[in-house]
Amino acid sequence: MASYDLVVIGTGPGGYVCAVRAAQLGMKVAVVEKNPTLGGTCLNVGCMPSKALLHASEMFEEAGHSFAKMGVSVSAPKLDLPSMMNFKQQGIDGNVKGVDFLMKKNKIDVLKGTGKILGAGKVEVSANGSTQTVETKNIVIATGSDIARLKGIEIDEKRIVSSTGALSLEKVPERLLIIGAGVIGLELGSVWRRLGAEVMVVEFLDRILPGMDGEIAKQFQRLLEKQGFAFKLGTKVTAVDTSGKTLLAKVEPAAGGPSETIEADVVLVSIGRVPYTDGLGLKEAGVALDNRGRVQIDPHFATTVKGIYAIGDVVAGPMLAHKAEDEGVAVAEIIAGQAGHVNYDVIPAVVYTTPEVSSVGKTEEELKQAGIAYTVGKFPFTANGRSKVNQTTEGFVKVLADAKTDRVLGAHIIGREAGEMIHEAAVLMEFGGSAEDLARTCHAHPTRSEAIKEAALAVGKRAIHM
Ligand code: FAD
Ligand code: NAI
């Protein structure tokens, strides 16, 4: 029987990164993966394919709408959807091969099949009717998450789709109805709107992007509406009639009331994701779940069974690839006897639309709720030189600092490249920096990042260009 120091179940960003770090620390490691390819949700049906389509569809829209004003005259772009899907697939393949390479480079055994925990120290791997059992000193559960479903609305991945189906539609739907104004709904809604779909988003709450700063979300909604998105907030879809050629969605106020019917060609269900633990044998092994079906862990990622740990989407916390990765590194270091740690106060979040939305740390709503006195510094891209010359002036930067100490508690950006810009605030926050520190840091000119410096200056009411 093969024997390891560590067996990781699942090769998403949590699992494969954990395996690499453990191998770097001298452990003999195996990963178990039930999918034909490594990389998990993120590489195969999540982060990567969605970003490929966001990029390609943005280029399509830019070519059609923005080139002429810069004096670049091209004929109206034509959509070749199969080629765009091929572009997406090439991106997936390249990244998946990269994970294969990392496994080989770090001498990590890849066990293809479904992993089941037989108890501390034993994992059974089944594939195509055959099983093998391996022994291991430690197990990390990194089995990720699955789509959340709506009762009575069956996902067929053709007309009623989850994100997975929405990443592979064979033609642009004339009318796309999206249930849930979260990250997936707004990113994939952007893709299909740019390619020609009429997009309507039905959201249960009275705002989009719950969890993001409210002021940013409001401006984001206005900008998306300007692009052609229609929103129905405080509303729920209770049924979808699939009997005819056109889908008929029954929609009613979240609080109850008279219903209406919305016609659509495709319905995207994007109401969140749920932890995935099917077939892992957790109950029999004595690994406890919390009240939301997530694997219960202590602050050191240890489950209720000694030698079994869990990370990523299958445990509590934001369902983000970089959170899973950082937990993967931390748990490998903890198993190796080091002090692995994740700072949950500084985990950036990005919505990769146009404009992008990014955020790190506390929102204004969270600070108010916690009773923390804070100062706000804001700076619009309309006053940023680089944005003006590029004519990409939508959005603003917002820096939130402790009113007494000036320590930066949160940063929020809406605007082009916001996802790349947020990290200077993250680094500053990791070092406990102040708005004054940020404001006195020399920023290259002309860059969009100067808007961050100006927002930090605005905390002290001394922005220069406003
Ligand atoms: P996963 O990536 O879900 O990987 C789990 C792996 O475990 C899978 O490969 C699965 O096959 C395997 N597995 C499960 N059970 C078993 C078993 N019993 N035996 C063997 N293998 C098993 N996050 C971001 O940070 N940025 C983004 O831009 C982003 N975009 C997204 C877009 C979409 C459309 C979706 C759906 C998600 C997106 N996410 C994004 C979220 C991100 O994909 C997840 O947070 C991340 O993949 C979680 O990593 P993980 O390692 O915990 O699990
Ligand atoms: P989400 O949690 O971001 O948004 C779901 C939305 O659906 C919420 O606004 C919620 O209020 C709404 N909702 C729930 N039930 C509803 C109902 N019955 N009717 C109408 N609205 C309803 O979940 P989403 O968008 O499905 O994404 C899942 C996860 O994937 C997220 O946790 C996110 O972190 C991750 N992800 C991250 C991305 C990124 O980092 N750029 C991109 C895509 C996904």
Side-chain angles (χ1 to χ4, degrees):
M1 191 188 294
S3 140
Y4 296 94
D5 294 315
L6 171 65
V7 169
V8 183
I9 307 178
T11 62
Y16 87 76
V17 168
C18 174
V20 170
R21 184 70 188 118
Q24 285 175 345
L25 291 165
M27 286 180 235
K28 188 171 180 227
V29 186
V31 291
V32 185
E33 177 55 62
K34 69 180 174 62
N35 270 359
T37 52
L38 306 184
T41 303
C42 180
L43 272 62
N44 293 283
V45 288
C47 326
M48 294 311 183
S50 58
K51 264 78 259 180
L53 290 184
L54 278 158
H55 176 67
S57 61
E58 189 183 0
M59 294 300 106
F60 177 72
E61 184 158 85
E62 291 267 294
H65 292 103
S66 309
F67 282 12
K69 71 176 178 193
M70 292 184 280
V72 182
S73 172
V74 290
S75 48
K78 279 201 210 91
L79 176 64
D80 175 356
L81 191 57
S83 295
M84 198 177 277
M85 290 296 167
N86 188 36
F87 172 77
K88 176 200 75 174
Q89 193 56 44
Q90 285 171 3
I92 296 174
D93 294 345
N95 278 294
V96 163
K97 278 198 196 111
V99 179
D100 289 337
F101 164 78
L102 290 175
M103 297 299 105
K104 282 199 192 89
K105 183 186 165 205
N106 290 285
K107 301 189 172 47
I108 296 162
D109 286 348
V110 176
L111 311 176
K112 288 274 173 80
T114 301
K116 182 175 174 190
I117 298 172
L118 301 179
K122 268 208 176 75
V123 177
E124 179 189 84
V125 183
S126 331
N128 309 322
S130 67
T131 60
Q132 61 166 318
T133 303
V134 294
E135 272 181 350
T136 175
K137 289 186 191 133
N138 301 283
I139 297 169
V140 169
I141 301 167
T143 49
S145 60
D146 191 12
I147 45 178
R149 286 154 210 277
L150 259 178
K151 228 174 130 194
I153 299 180
E154 204 178 312
I155 292 172
D156 61 13
E157 298 296 11
K158 291 273 175 233
R159 293 207 296 165
I160 302 188
V161 297
S162 71
S163 52
T164 303
L167 288 166
S168 294
L169 296 178
E170 280 166 15
K171 64 176 200 174
V172 180
E174 258 173 58
R175 294 155 301 179
L176 173 63
L177 177 67
I178 298 175
I179 311 178
V183 201
I184 290 181
L186 301 181
E187 286 189 354
L188 296 182
S190 291
V191 167
W192 293 107
R193 186 205 55 74
R194 290 168 188 165
L195 301 183
E198 213 175 85
V199 175
M200 148 109 33
V201 187
V202 174
E203 165 61 48
F204 190 80
L205 300 176
D206 60 1
R207 56 162 293 174
I208 69 166
L209 278 187
M212 284 279 193
D213 187 88
E215 188 184 10
I216 297 265
K218 259 202 193 116
Q219 169 148 163
F220 188 39
Q221 187 185 332
R222 275 200 298 272
L223 293 174
L224 289 174
E225 280 167 345
K226 233 171 79 186
Q227 294 171 10
F229 271 75
F231 289 99
K232 267 189 185 296
L233 304 182
T235 307
K236 61 184 175 190
V237 176
T238 51
V240 181
D241 179 352
T242 56
S243 58
K245 216 171 147 238
T246 296
L247 299 171
L248 301 174
K250 196 170 157 205
V251 169
E252 62 181 55
S259 66
E260 59 172 312
T261 301
I262 297 178
E263 295 188 357
D265 303 296
V266 172
V267 171
L268 163 61
V269 180
S270 50
I271 57 161
R273 293 181 62 85
V274 290
Y276 184 80
T277 54
D278 287 8
L280 260 181
L282 295 187
K283 198 165 173 210
E284 298 79 358
V287 175
L289 302 182
D290 69 14
N291 57 1
R292 290 173 60 185
R294 303 171 296 199
V295 177
Q296 188 185 310
I297 49 167
D298 72 6
H300 305 291
F301 310 101
T303 69
T304 43
V305 176
K306 200 167 180 305
I308 304 181
Y309 303 81
I311 56 165
D313 278 13
V314 80
V315 301
M319 286 182 166
L320 295 173
H322 42 286
K323 177 260 194 187
E325 287 185 44
D326 283 11
E327 289 182 339
V329 168
V331 76
E333 291 175 349
I334 288 169
I335 292 170
Q338 299 184 353
H341 173 72
V342 176
N343 180 3
Y344 291 98
D345 289 335
V346 185
I347 296 189
V350 179
V351 187
Y352 297 87
T353 41
T354 304
E356 289 184 343
V357 176
S358 65
S359 154
V360 65
K362 299 275 185 271
T363 62
E364 273 205 77
E365 290 77 14
E366 285 170 337
L367 291 174
K368 275 187 192 132
Q369 203 179 15
I372 297 169
Y374 62 93
T375 19
V376 187
K378 281 190 266 186
F379 192 81
F381 286 108
T382 45
N384 169 265
R386 184 69 182 277
S387 308
K388 270 191 196 157
V389 294
N390 287 357
Q391 297 191 17
T392 51
T393 53
E394 284 174 336
F396 64 99
V397 178
K398 175 167 170 177
V399 172
L400 303 170
D402 188 295
K404 271 196 232 111
T405 64
D406 196 39
R407 185 179 175 143
V408 172
L409 302 173
H412 307 276
I413 309 173
I414 176 167
R416 293 215 175 208
E417 292 145 48
E420 297 294 340
M421 289 166 63
I422 196 69
H423 298 99
E424 66 167 294
V427 173
L428 180 97
M429 287 171 69
E430 277 291 352
F431 285 88
S434 63
E436 178 83 20
D437 291 327
L438 197 49
R440 289 202 183 272
T441 301
C442 187
H443 282 62
H445 178 74
T447 57
R448 291 175 63 80
S449 296
E450 286 173 288
I452 299 185
K453 177 187 167 118
E454 291 272 11
L457 279 165
V459 169
K461 301 199 175 11
R462 53 196 171 90
I464 300 291
H465 292 90
M466 200 173 53

